[in-house]
Amino acid sequence: MKDLAGSKDHASASRRWFRNLLWRAFPAQSEHELAERASAVLNVSPRQVKNWLREENDASLRYVTAVLVIAGAEVVFSKIEGKS
């Protein structure tokens, strides 16, 4: 049972990390706004993005990689613009 609990903790942490990454990659005022923006870029439904934001589903490596690239670019551009 210990392995199962550890697996759940890891899955929860991974989903939380991806949720936070989505917010960084697609700054928005609301979950709905973020879902609309991200879905258009990632070619998935807004519902899928909301599932990720609500930590209900894991994202495949394809989407994790894409969001990492976008978030990285956002960080670079915010530094250039003088934002923290």
Side-chain angles (χ1 to χ4, degrees):
M1 292 300 282
K2 188 174 183 180
D3 289 340
L4 183 58
S7 177
K8 285 183 181 181
D9 291 343
H10 178 70
S12 179
S14 295
R15 289 176 180 184
R16 189 173 319 110
W17 175 82
F18 188 64
R19 178 201 64 205
N20 293 338
L21 191 64
L22 283 166
W23 281 105
R24 173 160 243 164
F26 302 98
Q29 295 296 315
S30 68
E31 178 185 84
H32 178 76
E33 182 183 346
L34 189 153
E36 291 295 323
R37 288 181 181 182
S39 67
V41 172
L42 300 172
N43 199 29
V44 297
S45 69
R47 181 178 178 180
Q48 178 60 60
V49 177
K50 287 179 182 180
N51 286 339
W52 291 331
L53 290 171
R54 295 171 185 168
E55 302 176 29
E56 295 173 356
N57 296 98
D58 293 322
S60 71
L61 182 59
R62 171 185 180 181
Y63 299 113
V64 172
T65 303
V67 175
L68 272 169
V69 169
I70 294 164
E74 193 277 326
V75 169
V76 168
F77 289 125
S78 69
K79 296 287 186 194
I80 291 170
E81 294 173 354
K83 299 177 186 174
S84 313

